Amino acid sequence: MGKVNIWLKRSFIIVTSLMAMIGALMLAGTLFSHGHYHQDEQFEDMLVGINTMYALSITTLILPIIGLYGACKEKRWGLIVFTVGKILGSLFVLYMTIHVLIVRPMVIKIVSKLYLSMQPISNASEIDLKILQKTQIEMECCGVQQGYMEWGYNISESCLCNGISANCVEAPTNSSLFQLAEDMPVMIYKEPCLPILISHINLAMRVVVGVSMGLTSLWTLSCVLSIAILCQLREKKDTLVVAYSREAKTGNYAVLAEPAELT
């Protein structure tokens, strides 16, 4: 078994330790999300994504531990398990990244179709109104495409601004919201919801793609370092074999000086 270069081993340990910390943070974030959305009505729809994050974060945490053990103890099986696992993980993440890029236009199209079907708002169903009002509160917007004007006289209270913001305008004096105020201006959100929602979807998918590509690059680097260590462990060192025999004869040596001459 060959000797591993110390700088190669240290580089692998640093990269793998960073991956283990990322895996621990991913696991903590998944646990927090699981607890936060546990009571949500749409929790069952999120369950597949949460379970996927559990599998990905646990794998990202366990494989670096195995790789660190293999590098520190110079165990080939640990490095092989780490390398194979990371290669498979990189292929899975790469597949998911391509899948996100493919479905992004479809997701935007579906969301746009859903919200555009709410127009005109005066004829929207109660379920659609609840969805729109929840979106208006969360996104700090009003209306679908044309802002608060789509509500007409009965502007929803979910359009009310919570504070002073550049996204707020004074509501029309002939709207129902002025019944809630006594000679005080009523501020509502001026931006429509659909453009903001599409912008959030694009941003979220760009973040997912960026994080996925970063993880894939880090995993690829760790695989290269692991393979380099495995190659060095496979190298055989040429050692000089010294044989000893009791039957070895005394060599023919010449006396250089008499013992008396040395005194």
Side-chain angles (χ1 to χ4, degrees), residues 48-67:
V48 175
I50 289 176
N51 289 335
T52 302
M53 285 302 301
Y54 270 126
L56 185 61
S57 57
I58 291 174
T59 303
T60 307
L61 179 61
I62 292 178
L63 284 178
I65 295 175
I66 297 175

Side-chain angles (χ1 to χ4, degrees), residues 51 55 66 78 100 157 184 201 228 237 246 253:
N51 289 335
I66 297 175
V100 168
E157 294 182 15
M184 294 290 291
I201 293 173
K237 301 180 77 174
R246 294 183 178 180
Y253 300 105

Side-chain angles (χ1 to χ4, degrees), residues 10-20 218-219 221-222 225:
R10 287 177 180 175
S11 300
F12 178 80
I13 291 173
I14 292 172
V15 173
T16 312
S17 299
L18 180 60
M19 291 169 53
L218 190 62
W219 291 359
L221 176 61
S222 65
L225 294 173

Side-chain angles (χ1 to χ4, degrees), residues 10-247:
R10 287 177 180 175
S11 300
F12 178 80
I13 291 173
I14 292 172
V15 173
T16 312
S17 299
L18 180 60
M19 291 169 53
M21 289 188 289
I22 293 174
L25 291 174
M26 291 173 58
L27 182 59
T30 306
L31 289 170
F32 175 79
S33 300
H34 194 169
H36 181 72
Y37 294 108
H38 182 68
Q39 301 297 333
D40 197 289
E41 296 178 357
Q42 300 179 347
F43 177 73
E44 292 185 358
D45 297 334
M46 306 177 186
L47 200 57
V48 175
I50 289 176
N51 289 335
T52 302
M53 285 302 301
Y54 270 126
L56 185 61
S57 57
I58 291 174
T59 303
T60 307
L61 179 61
I62 292 178
L63 284 178
I65 295 175
I66 297 175
L68 285 171
Y69 174 79
C72 294
K73 299 295 184 180
E74 296 187 357
K75 300 293 185 180
R76 291 179 57 191
W77 67 265
L79 293 169
I80 292 173
V81 170
F82 170 81
T83 304
V84 173
K86 284 304 175 185
I87 290 174
L88 295 177
S90 299
L91 293 175
F92 173 75
V93 173
L94 186 60
Y95 165 77
M96 293 301 297
T97 303
I98 296 174
H99 182 70
V100 168
L101 293 174
I102 292 174
V103 303
R104 181 173 64 175
M106 299 172 58
V107 172
I108 293 175
K109 184 177 180 180
I110 292 171
V111 172
S112 300
K113 184 178 180 180
L114 172 64
Y115 280 84
L116 290 175
S117 66
M118 299 177 184
Q119 295 177 317
I121 295 178
S122 57
N123 297 332
S125 63
E126 292 185 5
I127 296 176
D128 289 341
L129 287 176
K130 288 182 179 179
I131 295 173
L132 181 57
Q133 289 171 355
K134 184 178 180 181
T135 304
Q136 290 179 155
I137 294 173
E138 293 179 352
M139 299 292 179
E140 298 184 351
C141 55
C142 187
V144 179
Q145 275 189 312
Q146 300 175 0
Y148 63 88
M149 293 184 293
E150 296 180 59
W151 286 96
Y153 173 77
N154 297 312
I155 299 178
S156 174
E157 294 182 15
S158 59
C159 290
L160 290 171
C161 285
N162 294 326
I164 300 175
S165 173
N167 188 30
C168 296
V169 294
E170 187 174 343
T173 56
N174 59 348
S175 66
S176 60
L177 292 177
F178 266 85
Q179 298 177 1
L180 304 175
E182 298 179 357
D183 299 329
M184 294 290 291
V186 179
M187 306 302 292
I188 59 176
Y189 298 117
K190 67 176 181 180
E191 296 293 334
C193 292
L194 186 57
I196 296 176
L197 189 59
I198 292 176
S199 177
H200 278 70
I201 293 173
N202 284 325
L203 177 61
M205 290 191 173
R206 282 197 295 266
V207 169
V208 170
V209 171
V211 171
S212 300
M213 295 305 295
L215 284 176
T216 304
S217 301
L218 190 62
W219 291 359
T220 304
L221 176 61
S222 65
C223 289
V224 171
L225 294 173
S226 179
I227 292 172
I229 293 175
L230 285 171
C231 291
Q232 289 192 357
L233 289 175
R234 289 188 61 183
E235 292 180 357
K236 295 182 179 180
K237 301 180 77 174
D238 295 330
T239 55
L240 181 62
V241 179
V242 180
Y244 172 75
S245 176
R246 294 183 178 180
E247 299 178 356

